[in-house]
Amino acid sequence: MANKKRIRFTFPQQLITEPVIYDLGHKFKVVTNIRRAEVREDMGWVVLELEGTEEEIERGLKWVTSMGVRVDPVSADVIEG
Amino acid sequence: MSHVTGLRCRECGREYPIEPLNVCDFCFGPLEVSYDYDAIAHVISRESIAKGPLTMWRYEDLLPVDGANAVDIATGFTPLIKAKNLGRVLGLDNLYIKNDSVNPSYSFKDRVVSVAATKALEFGFDTLACASTGNLAGAVAAHGAKAGMKVFVFIPADLEEGKIIGTAIYGAKLVAAKGSYDDVNRLCSELADTYRWAFVNINMRPYYSEGSKTLGYEVAEQLGWRAPDHAIVPAASGSLFTKIWKGLKELSDLGLIGQAHTKMHLIQAQGCSPIVEAYRQNSLHVRPIKPNTIAKSLAIGNPADGFYALKTLKATGGRAEAVPEEEVIEGIKLLAETEGVFTEAAGGVTVAGLRQLANLGVIEKNEVTVAYITGNGLKTQEIVRHVANPLIIEPNMESFEAAFMAAGGPRS
Ligand SMILES: Cc1ncc(COP(=O)(O)O)c(C=O)c1O
Ligand SMILES: [Zn+2]
């Protein structure tokens, strides 16, 4: 079943120049749709929507995380003190 | 009566109807409530507010719900104390403590949840929910009970017993999720997409967060309708900090107080200080971190309102300070020993930050300064257990006197 997920990627400096989002869309059956982003010399973040099956998105995000990119739900931390 | 006109995206400005919605469909930015301030200006005055109840609901015209239906357990209008003793220690002549640790469930979270629960009923939800490590959990459980709603509270499995009991007692359904903080966080954000529940800090967030404005209103009113020169506020998501300033600005824009000139200072503990770190880098974007702090109620590594907190710091000329972990306990003790107020770790962070700002000379002796104490010490007793070292004696005079003299006698 196709479904959509809203995600925020935070890139450390050494990954800013890597085509992580392009690779995500090619290595996995996931459609990437960027909504907002900022990239600076020392870090970058991208807010995007992913579309695909639950399993494929899950696999894709595992891979992105293994690359060293931080993956968060779009509403930032949900657990509060 | 509520004067809300709709929701508006804080990033792209798109407008949305009043619905249980917290993210813009277009740019995924956060949504905020918009008001008809002209209508509010027509009905509100210092007198109309003074006639209201001695709770946060005296400011109902500035809240995004109809106050007549408020889920009200008498939250708010907590004491503002002139802190002469602590002021003497820090060299400040006009220091005040806003003691918000004496709310019904013992933290400022009652303010936000009172609004969220009221809005949830307006929307027709029958279940109130949250993901929390303590204070929010208790506030949601208490207000849910009052509202006659079902309550689900999601907690990390390793939470302290005191907080679990302080939530369960209200009849809330507790779900303890095994896993890392990030796992639990991700699960909860998925739950909010799946269940038709009012998650106070997710789909109710635009309404919920407005409740914190009352901490700005109350302090201004209690100071005799003026904004303080300095406000010292602890931060996790950064929402409280941002909304206190919004509250002061609204009063000033409505002409209820003079120009709001308050320098808003934001404090975090060293082990979880992503907002302070961004401030130091002169950046408006927070780099998420993994929290490792004694101040568990402030342990948010990826703060939702970090960006807006940083903008508020810039706009008001306030400072962001991180305090060393060991000073958190010192802060708790200092406040208890000087002012008779027992706060939790978040309050220890505030007091330690206040001391840091005073030492830096950021606050002048005569300036009106308010330190926000947002949670109660009885909730986190385990972190100060070491203060209890009673003299152990036999129940007779000799034994007492021997122990008393051994401990230093009348000079101790
Ligand atoms: C006692 C206490 N003070 C302050 C905060 C910070 O609030 P915010 O997340 O709005 O920055 C929290 C909760 O997160 C809290 O529990
Ligand atoms: Zn938007």
Side-chain angles (χ1 to χ4, degrees):
Chain A
M1 192 188 77
N3 80 113
K4 293 179 178 176
K5 255 209 171 79
R6 297 163 171 193
I7 297 289
R8 181 187 190 100
F9 290 167
T10 309
F11 297 84
Q13 187 164 13
Q14 69 275 17
L15 287 178
I16 287 175
T17 53
E18 298 292 317
V20 173
I21 294 172
Y22 174 89
D23 286 347
L24 173 64
H26 282 78
K27 284 187 201 286
F28 304 89
K29 277 216 189 88
V30 171
V31 180
T32 58
N33 183 345
I34 296 180
R35 298 305 180 87
R36 238 168 352 113
E38 181 172 306
V39 178
R40 297 193 329 236
E41 286 151 48
D42 61 332
M43 79 126 162
W45 57 264
V46 176
V47 161
L48 71 172
E49 187 166 67
L50 304 179
E51 192 173 347
T53 63
E54 186 85 41
E55 303 77 57
E56 203 59 12
I57 290 180
E58 196 65 27
R59 284 198 330 123
L61 290 179
K62 273 223 170 73
W63 174 78
V64 172
T65 307
S66 75
M67 294 293 291
V69 175
R70 177 163 167 146
V71 176
D72 290 289
V74 124
S75 39
D77 284 350
V78 157
I79 304 179
E80 291 206 12
Chain B
M1 197 189 106
S2 145
H3 301 282
V4 176
T5 56
L7 296 174
R8 190 164 183 280
C9 175
R10 288 173 94 169
E11 293 301 319
C12 75
R14 268 185 179 65
E15 308 218 338
Y16 293 85
I18 303 167
E19 280 174 7
L21 200 64
N22 67 316
V23 175
C24 172
D25 277 334
F26 181 75
C27 78
F28 300 168
L31 301 181
E32 188 172 42
V33 174
S34 318
Y35 296 89
D36 179 350
Y37 285 110
D38 290 336
I40 295 174
H42 268 103
V43 296
I44 207 166
S45 64
R46 291 181 184 180
E47 295 70 35
S48 74
I49 291 170
K51 277 198 215 118
L54 286 173
T55 69
M56 61 180 274
W57 291 100
R58 66 206 273 105
Y59 310 104
E60 67 158 312
D61 285 323
L62 290 159
L63 293 172
V65 290
D66 189 343
N69 307 322
V71 178
D72 182 11
I73 55 175
T75 292
F77 222 70
T78 51
L80 182 76
I81 306 159
K82 179 97 196 249
K84 285 201 190 117
N85 300 336
L86 180 58
R88 198 171 307 121
V89 173
L90 301 177
L92 302 174
D93 287 347
N94 269 315
L95 176 63
Y96 294 83
I97 296 297
K98 177 61 171 169
N99 184 9
D100 223 35
S101 73
V102 294
N103 272 311
S105 80
Y106 308 104
S107 85
F108 91 95
K109 295 282 185 191
D110 283 329
R111 297 177 184 272
V112 280
V113 174
S114 190
V115 175
T118 306
K119 199 70 197 175
L121 283 183
E122 274 182 23
F123 283 135
F125 286 101
D126 63 5
T127 303
L128 201 61
C130 75
S132 169
T133 59
N135 288 323
L136 183 62
V140 165
H143 284 86
K146 178 73 173 182
M149 301 176 84
K150 281 175 264 176
V151 177
F152 276 88
V153 171
F154 294 83
I155 55 172
D158 60 357
L159 200 58
E160 303 94 323
E161 194 178 23
K163 289 177 176 167
I164 296 178
I165 295 170
T167 302
I169 193 67
Y170 301 105
K173 189 83 206 145
L174 274 169
V175 184
K178 297 179 205 163
S180 74
Y181 181 90
D182 284 343
D183 298 334
V184 181
N185 199 48
R186 211 156 288 141
L187 167 68
C188 290
S189 92
E190 277 172 36
L191 284 168
D193 288 340
T194 311
Y195 289 86
R196 218 196 97 75
W197 292 346
F199 267 89
V200 298
N201 52 336
I202 308 176
N203 53 351
M204 292 290 122
R205 192 169 177 91
Y207 312 97
Y208 159 94
S209 57
E210 291 286 290
S212 290
K213 296 191 304 186
T214 58
L215 266 172
Y217 307 148
E218 277 176 30
V219 160
E221 184 178 355
Q222 289 170 317
L223 286 173
W225 295 106
R226 58 155 291 170
D229 299 319
H230 298 270
I232 324 293
V233 184
S237 74
S239 171
L240 167 67
F241 177 79
T242 311
K243 295 292 179 173
I244 289 174
W245 173 239
K246 181 176 180 185
L248 293 171
K249 278 263 296 162
E250 283 177 338
L251 292 189
S252 148
D253 292 347
L254 288 163
L256 294 170
I257 59 173
Q259 187 73 35
H261 60 287
T262 311
K263 290 199 167 74
M264 297 291 302
H265 305 289
L266 179 151
I267 319 293
Q268 299 191 293
Q270 202 109 66
C272 182
S273 47
I275 303 177
V276 179
E277 197 45 46
Y279 168 85
R280 285 182 182 150
Q281 313 270 333
N282 200 20
S283 163
L284 285 177
H285 288 291
V286 174
R287 198 190 295 241
I289 56 107
K290 285 213 190 306
N292 176 21
T293 175
I294 190 172
K296 293 221 171 66
S297 58
L298 301 180
I300 292 188
N302 185 26
D305 289 282
F307 173 71
Y308 305 102
L310 288 157
K311 291 225 294 203
T312 300
L313 281 161
K314 267 213 155 73
T316 68
R319 291 180 61 113
E321 294 286 331
V323 298
E325 292 288 325
E326 60 277 12
E327 290 184 17
V328 176
I329 305 282
E330 284 171 31
I332 294 174
K333 286 195 68 188
L334 182 59
L335 184 66
E337 290 172 2
T338 55
E339 296 299 334
V341 171
F342 181 20
T343 184
E344 65 141 286
V349 169
T350 302
V351 174
L354 168 68
R355 185 166 70 177
Q356 205 155 300
L357 290 167
N359 289 345
L360 285 167
V362 171
I363 304 172
E364 299 204 9
K365 205 173 171 51
N366 287 319
E367 288 181 315
V368 174
T369 301
V370 175
Y372 282 88
I373 301 302
T374 50
N376 197 297
L378 293 173
K379 287 198 187 186
T380 57
Q381 293 186 52
E382 53 291 335
I383 62 173
V384 288
R385 187 163 284 146
H386 64 278
V387 301
N389 303 302
L391 299 176
I392 310 283
I393 61 165
E394 296 301 324
N396 61 52
M397 199 64 134
E398 298 91 76
S399 179
F400 168 72
E401 286 181 341
F404 185 44
M405 294 317 282
R411 289 170 290 109
S412 69

